[in-house]
Amino acid sequence: MLRVVACIDGSRAVHAVCDYSAWASRHMEAPLMLLHVLDDERYPSEPDLAGNIGLGSREQLLTELAELDRKRSKLALEHGHHLLDEAEIRVKAAGTNEVVKRQRHGNLSESLVALEKDTRLFVMGLHGESSSDSNVHIGSQLETVIRSVERPILLVPDEYAEPKTAMLAFDGSETAFKGVEMLAASPVLRGIPLHLVMVGADTADNWEQLKKAEAMLSGLDVEITLAIRQGDVEPTLHAYQEEQGIDLLVMGAYGHSRIRQFLVGSTTTTMLKSATKPLVILR
C-alpha cells in the first residue's frame, strides 16, 4: 500500500509535520513512515583521511579531527532517533497506529526519490532548522526536493489546523490537467470542498476549461466551486484564499505558465515565508 512519508528534523515545524502527516495518513487511509535523514556533508558516516596520510606532525591533529567527526555523527544519529521516537508518540496520540520509523544517511532529495515508488504523499515543514521567531528561513533543500520528486508534497507551516476546504490554482494548461487527473485518482482531497480558481481573463474559453476540469473531478463527490479572477498571480490567489477562508492551496510546480512561475524566483521566498496555511505541490 502506498504510504505517507513525513520528513522529521529539528526544525520549528516538526510538531506540525507530525500533526499534518497523521491527518493525511488517517484521511487517506495510508500507512505512515517517519523519516529522518542525516546529511552526509554535515555528518559523514566515516571520515575519509586516506589522502592525508604522511603529513608528519599534522597527522595526530587530523586523527583527532576525524575522531571529533565520528562523535558528532554519533550524537546526530542518537538525536535523530530521539526525534523519531517523539514523533511516533505524537502521531500515535493523534490516532495513527500504522507507523514505521526510518533513518538514513545521505542527501534528502535523493533519499525521497528512492522512496517515492511506494509513496503517495511527502510531508515537509516550510521552515528550516535555522528559523526563529525573528528570522524565518525557508528550508534550504526545499526547492531541490520539489524539483526532484514526482509525488505530491504537502508543505506545512509551524502550526497545525485540520484542513476543511481546499483550492486548486488552475491555468488550463496540459500540465494543469495532468494535476487534475492526479487529484481525481487520489484520496488526498476526498470529502473536502474544492475551489477551482483561474487567474486570467473572464472569457468563455477559460470557463470551458474550468468546467472540463470540474467534470474530471466529479468522482471526488465533493462540492466544487469555479472562479476566475484577474490580476497578478500571487496576490490574487492569496486574496481569494483569505476571502473564502480556504485552508489548503494546491498548485503545480515549475514550467512556463504564470501559476507555475508563482513558485519560481523571487516570489517563492516571499510566498513561503509568509505562508500560514499548508500548500500541496503537484509534480
Side-chain angles (χ1 to χ4, degrees), residues 66-85:
E67 183 60 29
L68 284 175
D69 278 344
R70 291 188 186 96
K71 289 180 179 179
R72 289 179 66 249
S73 295
K74 182 179 178 181
L75 288 173
L77 193 68
E78 291 177 357
H79 178 57
H81 284 310
H82 287 305
L83 288 174
L84 289 172
D85 289 343

Side-chain angles (χ1 to χ4, degrees), residues 148-169:
S148 300
V149 302
E150 298 295 332
R151 299 298 190 189
I153 308 168
L154 173 58
L155 303 176
V156 306
D158 298 341
E159 301 294 332
Y160 171 73
E162 182 176 344
K164 301 290 187 182
T165 55
M167 64 178 279
L168 172 64

Side-chain angles (χ1 to χ4, degrees), residues 15-16 18-24 26 90 157-163:
H15 288 164
C18 291
D19 296 341
Y20 277 106
S21 61
W23 166 81
R26 297 191 311 271
R90 191 175 183 96
D158 298 341
E159 301 294 332
Y160 171 73
E162 182 176 344

Side-chain angles (χ1 to χ4, degrees), residues 4-8 17-18 21 32-36 121-123:
V4 174
V5 174
C7 299
I8 303 299
V17 169
C18 291
S21 61
L32 175 60
M33 173 185 285
L34 302 172
L35 175 70
H36 180 257
L121 178 73
F122 292 108
V123 184

